[in-house]
Amino acid sequence: MPYWYHSGNMGWFGGVGMFVLMALVLAALVALVVVLARRAPQLPGQSDTARRILDERFARGEIDQEEYERRRDALTRAK
């Protein structure tokens, strides 16, 4: 059974090397979590900008109700 206070064949470099290896593994895990978090699907409220823009245009009077309903239906079919 190895003991930390026993120098063995590796000496101090073995302990430092083990620390560096653990730091690299931890950094790799953090990088993996970041990559997976960025690839996660966005919430519906964040990706619904086309509908929000359409609602704003209708509210400002840029398009009439018929145009609004036609485009809203087209957006809901596209999902």
Side-chain angles (χ1 to χ4, degrees):
M1 178 187 304
Y3 295 96
W4 288 106
Y5 61 85
H6 180 57
S7 64
N9 294 334
M10 295 191 297
W12 274 99
F13 183 72
V16 172
M18 196 67 99
F19 178 75
V20 170
L21 180 63
M22 288 183 349
L24 288 173
V25 168
L26 181 63
L29 287 174
V30 168
L32 180 66
V33 167
V34 168
V35 167
L36 291 176
R38 287 186 179 180
R39 286 187 167 189
Q42 294 181 354
L43 297 175
Q46 295 174 344
S47 64
D48 202 18
T49 57
R51 175 65 187 264
R52 184 180 52 80
I53 292 170
L54 183 63
D55 291 342
E56 289 174 3
R57 288 186 65 196
F58 180 63
R60 285 192 299 257
E62 294 179 11
I63 57 175
D64 61 353
Q65 185 173 356
E66 181 182 325
E67 180 73 12
Y68 171 77
E69 290 172 355
R70 186 177 60 81
R71 290 183 184 213
R72 185 193 59 203
D73 292 342
L75 284 175
T76 55
R77 281 192 308 259
K79 288 182 181 182

